[in-house]
Each structure stands twice: as C-alpha cells, then as structure tokens.
Amino acid sequence: MSDLDALMKAFGEAGGDKAILGNNEIAHLVASGHKLLSMKSVEGLEVDARETMAGISAKVTVKEGIRIKNPVHLCFGVLHKKGTQKIKMDVRLEKNSSAHFIAHCIFPNAEKVRHIMDAVVEIGEGAEMRYSETHFHGLYGGIEVIPKSIVKIGKNGRYFTDFTLTTGRVGKLDIDYSVEAGENAVTELTARVFGHANDEINIKERVVLAGKNSRGLIKTRVALEDEAKAEVTGITEGNAEGARGHVDCMEIVKDNATAKAIPIVSVIHPLAKVTHEAAIGSVDKRQMETLMAHGLTPEEAVDLIVKGILK
Amino acid sequence: MLLLEIDGLTYGAGDKTILDDFSMTIEPSEVHALLGTNGTGKSTLAYLIMGCEGYMPSSGEIIFEGKTINTLKIQERSKLGITMAWQEPVRFEGISVSDYLRLKNKDINPSYYLEMVGLHPELYLHRMVDKSLSGGERKRIELASILALNPKLAILDEPDSGIDMLSTQDIVNVISAFKDNGSSVLLITHREEIVLIADRASQICNGKIVCTGNPDKVAEYYKSRKCFVCDGEVCAYV
C-alpha cells in the first residue's frame, strides 16, 4: 500500500471523506511525515509546497477578491510509531478574499511522534479566513503536538479558528496562538480538548485588539480524566477605542486530573473593554441532577455533559 | 391507592427546621397545587421528593405507590416515574433542544412537545439548551422535556416565576397536557390565580400545611395572609 493510500485509509477510519482527493473543485494538500503526497489547487488559490531539509514548507495565497467556494483540505499525519512532522505554513489572504481551511491531523499509531506546526497568517483588508483543525490520535499517548501561529488581521478582516482534539490520547499538547486584530476586525479562537491518562495540555492564546472597534473571543473547553493535566492561558489586550474582547474558559475535571486557567485581560485605552469568565471543577451538580431526573444514570449524565462542552 | 404520600416529614438545615412534621398526599392523575410565600419550604419539599443530593429527611416517610422511597437515589426515583422541573432550569452547552427532549426516549416527536408549550419547532429544535435561550424559553423547553417523559408524577417548581414568566394561560395549557397524559402534578407556586387550575390545593407556611382543599378556598385563605415572606412568627397559622 502506498503512503498516500495508507494515510487516506487512516483518514477514512477517522471519519474523513476520502472522495475529497478526487474532486477537482476541492483543493487539498496531503503530507505524511516529511513527504508531500498529493496537492491540488483551485482557481484563485496559489499553493507552493515543498519538502525541505527541515520538513515541509507551504506558502498559500488566496488572491484578491477570490472567495474559495469549497473548504481547502489539509491532511497531515504520521502513521509510523516514531517520527517527526514539522510543517511551516505561510498563509496570505489578499484583500476581500475568503477561504475555509480544514486540517485533518492523523496520528493513530504514535508512540514517539512530534508534530510541529509553525504558521504565519496574514489576512488582508476585508478578507475572511476560517481554520478548523481536528486531530485523530491513537491510544498510546506518545505524541507531542506543538502548533504555533502568528496571525495579523487587516481592517474589516475576520479570522476564526477551531482546534479539536477529542479523539484518542492527547499526549502532550502545547498550543501557542497569537492574533493581532486591526480596525473593525473580528476574531474567534476556539479550542476543545479531552485529556486522559497522563496527558499534558498547555494552551496559550493571545488576542491583541489593536484596531478601533475590533472584536475578539477566546473560547476554551477542556475535559480531563484520570491523571491528565491542563493549563489554559487566555490573554486579551484592548488597545483601541471601541475594542471588545472576551475570554471564556471552561474545564471539567474528573478523577485525579488537575486543571488551571489563567485569564489575563488588559486594557490600555479608556474606551476599550475586555471581560473574562472561567469555570473549573467537577461536573455541575445541578446539571447532573437534571439529567438524572430525566432518567439518565450518573455515568450517562457525565458522558453527555462532557460531550456537550466539547462539541 | 395514593400516588404519593408524605407522612410526618421533618427536614432542617443547620439550626433551622424547614419542614416540620409535614404531611400531604397526591392522588393518581391529580393536580395538587402547593401555595406559599417565599421561604416556606416549597422548593425544599420538591428536592426531598426528587431525592436531590444533601436532602434527606430527619424523620418521616415519602411513600410512592405504596413503597417508601426515602433512600432511593434520584435516578431510581426517576425510573419509578417521578420527575421535576427546577425553578431555574440549568443550561447545557452542546445539547440541542431536539436531543434534550429525546434524552430518555429517542422515538418521541420533539416538535409535538414544543408546540404544547407554545414554541415553534422550526425555530427551536436545532438551538442549543444553553445561555442563548431566554429564561422564559428555557422554562418552556424544560416543561416540554418533562411532558415528553410522560411521568407518573411531575413536580413543577414555580413554573410561573422569573423575569420571563409564563402567562397563566401558558401554565393552564401545560397542566392540561399533563392531565391528558394521566400524569399527576405537584404544582408549586406563590401565585393564587395559578392555584385555581388545580384539582386540590394546600397552603404551606413555615414548613407545615395550614389548609388543604378546594383551590378557590385555599386561594382565598392565602390572600388573607398577614405575611409576604415567611418568618414563621407574623402569621397566625403557626
């Protein structure tokens, strides 16, 4: 079986739609380890991806005024037990363009694997980018995921990101996102992670509301069980007139797991406003009782509540 | 046989006795309204019947269909056919209204129950049972979910309270739906006009029933009370 077939098989087993590779209207980039396996572009989307000594480097540009109709699929993975995948992404959305990128990160057999993503994103005036990243991990927990991104959003631009790691063991996760929003720009960063066994989760997200009337939301949902640990740092700075930001962190803890939330909000302009809320603890008693009064067992109730916050 | 019999129930928190040798009954298919001002022990009674954590009577019995259920857990009482709508229903992230109504029975038609509580299914089925709902919307959805369970006994804790309160007609419609299903209802309220839709009513004051009978008469008795917040001292009932 070729590397591409093997990765696509794992992708299919993780619930992905393998037909996207054969669809001429859907752009994609597929890489296994440091090998580029498949790539397709569509009109208005420029992709310059290559294998380098350090890993994979990709420069992606959405041309001015182009709105990419179908999501662009990025499929990254390491199928071996040991290995490293280092990806450097340089994404630019030119003025008034838009695109939705869906990243599928597949590491089903990882016993000692590192996945490092280093991204620089520039969103032009009036452009909109959505980035959804979903991980499919195995049961060994021997993986380290280190996504880092630096994002700059131009005037009236929009940037939404959604990171999901709820299937399999997390291993070690170390997210470091930083977003700067210009005038009237909007950004929302969402992360959902379910930690088990001795998983270690470290999420640091920073939004700088630099432009007048910019908006930012950092939303984090973490569930932990066994001995898992998580530390979530949500930073929002309101630096301009009319800027509005909010940090919303919820962590549910079971067994001997431990969680920490560090919301940092700062305002240096008198007409900016940043708020935060953080809830950490065991499953809410009232929620449990309500579901049990509806006929669920305690186990079913916990399962439903956890699945709900990670949805 | 009585559906529910509360016999000499006493419950206290700290030094305060909240329910004091409290007794009442509910017949099968009966709507029994429990009327009382704030602080009289109405919600505490609801939690004791439902079996909420931390609510264990110091004496007395809760008897459901002839069996004492004092030691049963909440989910065991639910299995017997007891359920409850809390005064302020909690919110759930990531659970749609449709899924919430079908928690126990996947085969029910959630639209049917939403219409019963005056909500348009197409506007609500796919919404989440989270903080995006107003207080009134959340209460209606909770009532719809209780109806969908088709319980033997539904405890409704002040469905008429709150900023987005349901109208008297809304409550009448919901109670009628329970009656049509053959469910009994313990309707907890502090509004005397709501009591009139019940088959029977009782007034609670300082943890005790002070009168039981025809809803008209109990409502009149309640209107003539001297206190508006129960302190167990001002009124002449205790």
Side-chain angles (χ1 to χ4, degrees):
Chain A
M1 187 184 286
S2 70
D3 287 350
L4 180 60
D5 288 343
L7 188 63
M8 283 300 102
K9 183 171 177 281
F11 176 54
E13 285 167 358
D17 179 9
K18 291 186 278 185
I20 56 172
L21 288 196
N23 189 328
N24 284 330
E25 294 185 357
I26 297 177
H28 71 256
L29 176 65
V30 180
S32 179
H34 286 159
K35 278 172 75 177
L36 272 172
L37 303 179
S38 180
M39 194 162 65
K40 184 178 286 171
S41 188
V42 293
E43 194 182 342
L45 177 74
E46 282 182 5
V47 181
D48 177 12
R50 58 190 68 191
E51 296 168 5
T52 70
M53 294 293 284
I56 286 173
S57 176
K59 189 172 179 186
V60 178
T61 306
V62 183
K63 304 302 283 182
E64 182 174 338
I66 296 292
R67 299 191 171 266
I68 307 289
K69 189 175 124 196
N70 294 310
V72 178
H73 289 264
L74 310 170
C75 190
F76 302 131
V78 174
L79 298 183
H80 299 296
K81 292 176 182 174
K82 295 180 181 177
T84 298
Q85 183 173 56
K86 198 168 181 183
I87 296 168
K88 194 164 182 252
M89 295 276 287
D90 186 344
V91 182
R92 283 174 208 282
L93 270 76
E94 293 182 354
K95 191 175 175 183
N96 295 327
S97 64
S98 74
H100 181 190
F101 295 87
I102 300 179
H104 314 274
C105 300
I106 302 161
F107 307 95
N109 310 310
E111 290 182 9
K112 194 170 182 186
V113 170
R114 290 188 95 201
H115 168 75
I116 302 163
M117 167 74 86
D118 214 339
V120 175
V121 178
E122 195 169 319
I123 296 169
E125 186 177 334
E128 177 175 322
M129 175 172 164
R130 289 180 184 270
Y131 179 76
S132 310
E133 180 171 329
T134 303
H135 282 246
F136 302 96
H137 291 191
L139 301 173
Y140 304 110
I143 180 161
E144 221 176 320
V145 175
I146 310 169
K148 183 179 176 187
S149 66
I150 298 170
V151 181
K152 193 165 183 181
I153 316 169
K155 185 179 176 183
N156 298 323
R158 296 162 78 86
Y159 177 70
F160 304 94
T161 178
D162 198 334
F163 180 96
T164 304
L165 204 174
T166 56
T167 305
R169 288 278 308 278
V170 173
K172 284 186 182 175
L173 171 66
D174 193 358
I175 289 178
D176 186 355
Y177 291 163
S178 180
V179 179
E180 183 182 311
E183 186 177 339
N184 288 321
V186 177
T187 185
E188 283 184 22
L189 313 179
T190 305
R192 300 177 177 87
V193 184
F194 194 172
H196 319 265
N198 62 347
D199 290 342
E200 290 179 27
I201 297 157
N202 200 339
I203 299 173
K204 184 180 171 191
E205 292 173 308
R206 177 167 176 252
V207 169
V208 178
L209 301 168
K212 190 177 171 184
N213 296 325
S214 53
R215 297 280 185 273
L217 170 67
I218 298 174
K219 181 176 169 181
T220 315
R221 297 290 181 265
V222 175
L224 301 168
E225 63 179 11
D226 308 321
E227 312 287 329
K229 291 179 183 170
E231 181 171 308
V232 177
T233 307
I235 306 166
T236 298
E237 299 173 15
N239 298 350
E241 180 186 341
R244 295 286 181 272
H246 187 65
V247 181
D248 175 5
C249 175
M250 185 190 287
E251 296 179 73
I252 288 184
V253 177
K254 288 166 61 184
D255 309 319
N256 296 315
T258 54
K260 192 189 269 191
I262 309 167
I264 300 173
V265 295
S266 76
V267 166
I268 60 167
H269 193 286
L271 296 177
K273 186 175 179 181
V274 180
T275 52
H276 73 85
E277 58 186 309
I280 305 183
S282 56
V283 178
D284 184 81
K285 190 177 106 178
R286 280 279 312 281
Q287 288 184 327
M288 287 285 292
E289 289 185 336
T290 298
L291 294 177
M292 290 191 287
H294 280 72
L296 272 62
T297 64
E299 294 75 23
E300 288 170 335
V302 170
D303 193 41
L304 188 68
I305 292 164
V306 169
K307 279 184 182 160
I309 74 152
L310 296 176
K311 204 183 247 182
Chain B
M1 184 171 63
L2 291 167
L3 182 72
L4 180 76
E5 184 179 0
I6 311 280
D7 184 17
L9 206 66
T10 297
Y11 173 82
D15 294 338
K16 185 169 167 53
T17 300
I18 297 172
L19 292 177
D20 183 11
D21 197 23
F22 180 98
S23 297
M24 74 177 293
T25 60
I26 299 180
E27 305 274 351
S29 303
E30 181 188 38
V31 176
H32 192 144
L34 184 65
L35 187 60
T37 59
N38 294 328
T40 49
K42 304 187 297 297
S43 292
T44 299
L45 176 68
Y47 303 152
L48 282 160
I49 298 170
M50 194 66 244
C52 294
E53 190 184 321
Y55 287 86
M56 178 63 80
S58 53
S59 63
E61 280 190 290
I62 304 168
I63 302 161
F64 188 75
E65 292 188 313
K67 290 178 187 165
T68 300
I69 60 168
N70 285 34
T71 57
L72 294 189
K73 292 179 177 152
I74 190 166
Q75 67 271 25
E76 294 168 322
R77 298 184 199 207
S78 173
K79 269 190 188 160
L80 293 177
I82 305 171
T83 193
M84 171 171 165
W86 269 256
Q87 191 179 142
E88 286 179 27
V90 287
R91 318 290 177 127
F92 295 94
E93 281 197 18
I95 302 178
S96 71
V97 170
S98 174
D99 287 343
Y100 190 66
L101 296 187
R102 297 185 300 122
L103 276 177
K104 197 57 194 169
N105 185 355
K106 305 288 178 217
D107 297 329
I108 63 116
N109 175 7
S111 300
Y112 172 74
Y113 294 98
L114 283 178
E115 282 168 356
M116 274 185 170
V117 296
L119 297 177
H120 294 293
E122 62 272 24
L123 297 179
Y124 286 92
L125 276 177
H126 302 294
R127 286 185 65 179
M128 295 294 151
V129 189
D130 60 15
K131 58 187 176 186
S132 66
L133 295 169
S134 72
E137 288 170 329
R138 179 68 190 91
K139 275 205 164 189
R140 285 171 197 263
I141 287 162
E142 192 61 19
L143 289 170
S145 76
I146 299 292
L147 278 166
L149 290 171
N150 195 18
K152 289 179 183 169
L153 173 63
I155 305 163
L156 308 183
D157 190 3
E158 304 215 20
D160 49 340
S161 73
I163 298 165
D164 273 322
M165 69 169 68
L166 279 71
S167 68
T168 305
Q169 190 54 50
D170 290 331
I171 305 287
V172 169
N173 293 343
V174 170
I175 297 299
S176 298
F178 278 111
K179 286 181 87 164
D180 291 345
N181 285 348
S183 300
S184 295
V185 176
L186 174 58
L187 176 60
I188 294 172
T189 182
H190 61 261
R191 285 168 59 191
E192 59 268 17
E193 70 273 23
I194 296 293
V195 166
L196 303 179
I197 63 179
D199 300 312
R200 190 157 57 119
S202 296
Q203 185 186 338
I204 182 173
C205 187
N206 198 32
K208 281 188 172 186
I209 296 289
V210 291
C211 67
T212 293
N214 183 298
D216 294 330
K217 291 193 174 161
V218 173
E220 280 303 310
Y221 196 54
Y222 179 71
K223 272 200 278 191
S224 67
R225 72 191 184 280
K226 299 181 183 72
C227 55
F228 290 93
V229 176
C230 185
D231 59 8
E233 293 175 2
V234 174
C235 70
Y237 303 139
V238 183

